[in-house]
Amino acid sequence: MLAVPLGSTEQHGPHLPLDTDTRIARALTDGLAARVAGVLAAPALAYGASGEHAGFPGTLSLGSRVLALALVELTRSADATASGVVFVNGHGGNASALREAVTLLRSEGRRVLAWAPRSALAARVGVPSGDTDLHAGRVETSLMLHLASDLVRLDRAVAGPSPTLAELVRRGVRPLSPSGVLGDPSGASPAEGALIFHAYVDDLVAAVLRWDETRRDENRREETR
Ligand SMILES: [Zn+2]
C-alpha cells in the first residue's frame, strides 16, 4: 500500500514556513508507515490548491482542477503495483480536488483512501481549535514546534481574525487578514504539538486499518464466490 503526503506551498503568516502543510503531511505519513506493515511512504506532493492564499509572496498553487487530475494520474500509475493508495492531506484547500479525484478513481474500481485531520482530534487532546483555528494558528504552530522548531519564528507570531470557512473560501485570506494568520498562535508549544501529532497519527492508523479490513473482506468474498 502506498501512502502519499499532500501538502501545499503557501504563506503561513510571518512565523511559519511556506512548506508547513507539506512537512506535517510527510511526518504523519512517516508515522503511518512506521506503524502499519506494508505501507510505503511516497515523496510528498509539495504543491496543492492554494487559491485562497493568492496575493502573498511565496504562495504557489496548482489550483483544484490540475490537482485533481494529478491525483488521478498518480493513483492510476501506482495502481499496477500497489494494493491501494492513501492520500494523507495536510492542507484544507486540497479537499475538494481530493474528493473529486477519489470519486472518479473509485468509479474506475481503484482502491483509494483520503485522510485529513479533523479539528475534533485537537479538541480531544485539550487544544482549543475547531472553526476558529483555520490557518497558521495554534494547532499548526504547535505541530511545527514539535516537528521543526528551528523553522518557527515565534517572536513574529501574531493573531489574526477567525472568519467562517465559507467566508474564507468566498473572499480569500488577503482581505481578511493582512498577516495571513487566521486564528491565534498564542499558547502553542512543542508538548502540545506532540499531543496533537500523536492523536492525528492514531486516527490515521485506525482509518487505514479499517479500510484495509474492508479490502480483506472483499477478497474473502471473492474467493468464496
Ligand atoms: Zn497550513
Side-chain angles (χ1 to χ4, degrees):
M1 193 188 306
L2 194 66
V4 185
L6 298 185
S8 74
T9 299
E10 65 184 30
Q11 70 82 18
H12 269 79
H15 68 297
L16 294 178
L18 299 172
D19 65 352
T20 290
D21 297 341
T22 309
R23 278 176 187 274
I24 292 170
R26 192 186 291 135
L28 292 169
T29 304
D30 289 345
L32 170 68
R35 295 239 323 248
V36 180
V39 172
L40 292 177
L45 186 60
Y47 300 95
S50 299
E52 72 276 19
H53 296 280
F56 287 97
T59 295
L60 289 169
S61 175
L62 292 174
S64 282
R65 229 181 103 227
V66 171
L67 177 62
L69 288 173
L71 301 179
V72 167
E73 291 303 328
L74 288 175
T75 305
R76 284 174 178 163
S77 68
D79 207 31
T81 54
S83 61
V85 173
V86 178
F87 287 111
V88 178
N89 185 21
H91 172 52
N94 295 340
S96 72
L98 195 47
R99 261 196 309 275
E100 189 187 325
V102 166
T103 301
L104 176 60
L105 289 161
R106 286 187 174 160
S107 77
E108 294 175 350
R110 298 180 203 277
R111 300 261 323 150
V112 58
L113 177 72
W115 180 92
R118 291 169 289 118
S119 55
L121 293 171
R124 204 179 292 163
V125 293
V127 181
S129 60
D131 300 335
T132 58
D133 190 72
L134 286 173
H135 185 74
R138 183 157 164 177
V139 169
E140 282 191 320
T141 303
S142 283
L143 282 168
M144 286 301 285
L145 285 170
H146 169 57
L147 295 172
S149 60
D150 52 321
L151 299 177
V152 181
R153 300 184 205 168
L154 219 42
D155 54 317
R156 299 205 196 170
V158 292
S162 297
T164 63
L165 189 58
E167 195 178 8
L168 164 63
V169 170
R170 188 165 49 85
R171 299 185 62 195
V173 178
R174 185 93 228 182
L176 298 171
S177 172
S179 74
V181 176
L182 301 173
D184 187 356
S186 59
S189 72
E192 184 174 281
L195 281 176
I196 300 168
F197 182 75
H198 291 115
Y200 283 4
V201 174
D202 285 347
D203 188 73
L204 172 58
V205 166
V208 169
L209 290 177
R210 265 198 313 274
W211 179 65
D212 200 40
E213 193 50 44
T214 63
R215 179 178 64 100
R216 284 168 207 270
D217 287 347
E218 280 162 22
N219 287 350
R220 259 180 297 225
R221 242 174 279 138
E222 284 290 311
E223 279 163 20
T224 52
R225 202 170 274 169

